[in-house]
Amino acid sequence: MNNTHMLPNRRHLLAGAAATAASLAAPAVVRAQGGPLKVGVILPRSGFEAGIGQDCQRGVDIAPGVLKALGMPELTIMNGDTESNVDTAREHAEKLISDGAQLLIGAFDSGQTTAIAQVAEQKGIPLVINIASAPEITEQGYKFVVRNFPTVSMLLNDELSSQKEVFAIAGAAPKTAVFMHVNDLFGTGMSKGLHALLPKYDMPYTIADEISYDPAARDLSVEVTKAKAANAEIMIVVGRLNDAMLLTRELVKQRWTPQAILSMGPGWYENQYTKTLGKLSDGPISLVPWYDPNKKLSQMLEAALAKTYPDFNLNTNHVYTFEALLVAADAYKRAGSTDPKALAEALHATNITDNATIGPGIKFDAKGQNTGVKCGAIQNRAGKQVTIAPKAAANAKLEWPMKPYQDRA
């Protein structure tokens, strides 16, 4: 869900247009056939998004054995660190290509992914996006970029539908909500989209207050005090890992437990969140792209993660990063070549039905977008995550309302 799917600003869009023009004039880089496909995996392994970037890396770490079991060709992984910075992401994309990467994967954060996409298109090297939701990335007319992750619009529509499904299961329709979100491009884009769609979905609640904050903040006490004063029944959040932990600690400190915390982004389902906060992490519901626990590949990934990282729960970061590698390996297998144009054509012809994520499978439209990706309603329960909705992917029943923080040992 970067997981941090920032919307690019005007400068990025102009740069994207320039990159498209340059790609038409520049010859594609041709690679020799044979041997493993060299895949540059670019993630925020350091900086304020490091926790999530490192979690995405775990999806890379468990991939070789699972891909081999699926009959997929071998991949050689070349790592790049965005340092949670757009300019650094661009530099590492260029360096990895210069060092021989034949395909790129990344980068969780939409601003960083936008920069990488511009480089990939300019250099004529395929990019498979693992996590990033800025719609503009697949609206540029790029020929070398595909995305197996929902756009902001897809996310919001699915998340609001999931909210209504959760309310129906709970038999409770909250009348008021406080909306808290990061003030970066991802958060502000989600805010605009949410307000635009609320009338369409005839949601039962009104927004009592909207509070934005810096994703790199180290103190959110003022923001939580303001949220508590709104006296809303539920809290809707768009944030990330660090602020999810800060918000929870402030909720405990200020002795306020909403009926529900509904997260429309990463952070609240992260392993670091549940491990750090223990019983205080139970209850929040994440409305995010997720995996279907009933699918065979999901069960293979759960087993692989349990073997390699026994203290971690399978989540969006692992699964969508793994599926990006699956898409790359599948395209390489069908293309029979590392030639970038052949790989790009094979990527656009992808049709994987036995995947792990919620939805019918992995298939890209003319713009390189998988339009079949679906969100789930995931609740933290005893240090793990269970799937509440949709019904076809559910493996547990909803707990509503949240247990008051002060009543937890």
Side-chain angles (χ1 to χ4, degrees):
M1 353 168 228
N2 186 309
N3 296 181
T4 27
H5 324 296
M6 298 189 292
L7 297 174
N9 59 27
R10 184 173 181 271
R11 177 171 62 85
H12 290 149
L13 295 180
L14 291 174
T20 302
S23 71
L24 296 176
V29 179
V30 178
R31 306 295 185 189
Q33 185 175 350
L37 180 69
K38 296 178 181 178
V39 179
V41 180
I42 311 175
L43 298 167
R45 294 181 170 87
S46 61
F48 72 93
E49 294 173 330
I52 292 178
Q54 292 163 13
D55 209 31
C56 289
Q57 178 63 39
R58 295 181 183 98
V60 178
D61 295 342
I62 65 173
V66 179
L67 290 175
K68 183 177 181 181
L70 296 175
M72 292 295 165
E74 185 181 356
L75 306 176
T76 295
I77 303 300
M78 305 168 65
N79 292 321
D81 180 9
T82 71
E83 301 175 17
S84 303
N85 181 278
V86 171
D87 293 332
T88 304
R90 182 181 291 106
E91 292 168 4
H92 276 279
E94 292 172 346
K95 184 179 187 304
L96 284 169
I97 292 172
S98 177
D99 289 344
Q102 297 157 329
L103 181 146
L104 300 178
I105 285 175
F108 176 76
D109 179 288
S110 283
Q112 296 157 40
T113 304
T114 297
I116 294 167
Q118 292 164 4
V119 173
E121 193 71 14
Q122 183 179 14
K123 300 291 187 180
I125 293 295
L127 166 66
V128 181
I129 296 171
N130 65 329
I131 300 173
S133 63
E136 287 83 354
I137 299 174
T138 45
E139 294 293 329
Q140 299 293 309
Y142 289 157
K143 303 300 182 185
F144 289 87
V145 180
V146 296
R147 169 167 50 187
N148 179 40
F149 196 81
T151 65
V152 167
S153 177
M154 292 169 63
L155 277 170
L156 282 166
N157 277 282
D158 221 20
E159 287 167 343
L160 288 175
S161 294
S162 295
Q163 281 189 27
K164 297 195 85 168
E165 190 170 355
V166 168
F167 299 154
I169 295 170
K175 294 183 174 64
T176 56
V178 60
F179 178 37
M180 306 187 73
H181 64 84
V182 286
N183 63 6
D184 60 16
L185 294 170
F186 168 52
T188 55
M190 290 287 280
S191 174
K192 291 177 182 177
L194 178 66
H195 287 293
L197 287 173
L198 281 175
K200 171 186 173 182
Y201 281 87
D202 190 27
M203 301 304 287
Y205 56 77
T206 57
I207 303 295
D209 198 0
E210 179 170 344
I211 304 164
S212 64
Y213 57 88
D214 188 336
R218 296 186 177 184
D219 185 346
L220 293 174
S221 56
V222 173
E223 287 80 2
V224 171
T225 298
K226 189 178 179 182
K228 182 180 180 180
N231 199 31
E233 295 176 75
I234 65 172
M235 186 168 78
I236 300 172
V237 191
V238 174
R240 297 185 179 86
L241 175 59
N242 290 343
D243 49 284
M245 292 193 289
L246 285 174
L247 288 171
T248 303
R249 287 180 171 128
E250 277 301 323
L251 290 170
V252 174
K253 184 178 179 181
Q254 299 191 28
R255 300 177 67 83
W256 179 46
T257 309
Q259 286 185 17
I261 296 173
L262 304 179
S263 169
M264 301 197 302
W268 301 79
Y269 59 73
E270 312 290 347
N271 283 282
Q272 189 175 339
Y273 177 82
T274 56
K275 293 293 182 184
T276 301
L277 296 171
K279 292 183 179 180
L280 297 177
S281 70
D282 286 350
I285 298 169
S286 297
L287 308 163
V288 290
W290 200 253
Y291 67 96
D292 183 338
N294 302 314
K295 288 187 177 181
K296 181 179 178 181
L297 183 53
S298 295
Q299 294 162 9
M300 291 175 67
L301 292 173
E302 285 178 328
L305 187 73
K307 182 177 180 180
T308 307
Y309 296 104
D311 294 332
F312 287 82
N313 303 320
L314 191 67
N315 65 30
T316 293
N317 302 328
H318 312 134
V319 176
Y320 274 91
T321 303
F322 168 82
E323 284 198 344
L325 291 167
L326 173 63
V327 167
D330 175 72
Y332 179 44
K333 182 178 182 179
R334 287 181 289 105
S337 169
T338 59
D339 175 77
K341 289 186 177 179
L343 281 173
E345 289 176 2
L347 286 171
H348 281 275
T350 298
N351 187 13
I352 299 173
T353 55
D354 295 327
N355 70 323
T357 51
I358 296 173
I362 306 173
K363 191 174 184 179
F364 303 111
D365 64 12
K367 297 177 180 179
Q369 175 65 46
N370 180 5
T371 59
V373 183
K374 296 294 181 183
C375 290
I378 315 302
Q379 187 169 42
N380 290 1
R381 192 83 56 78
K384 297 184 179 296
Q385 289 73 43
V386 295
T387 304
I388 305 302
K391 186 177 180 180
N395 63 353
K397 294 183 179 180
L398 171 70
E399 288 186 359
W400 182 293
M402 284 179 54
K403 185 176 182 180
Y405 288 117
Q406 59 267 29
D407 294 343
R408 308 182 193 191

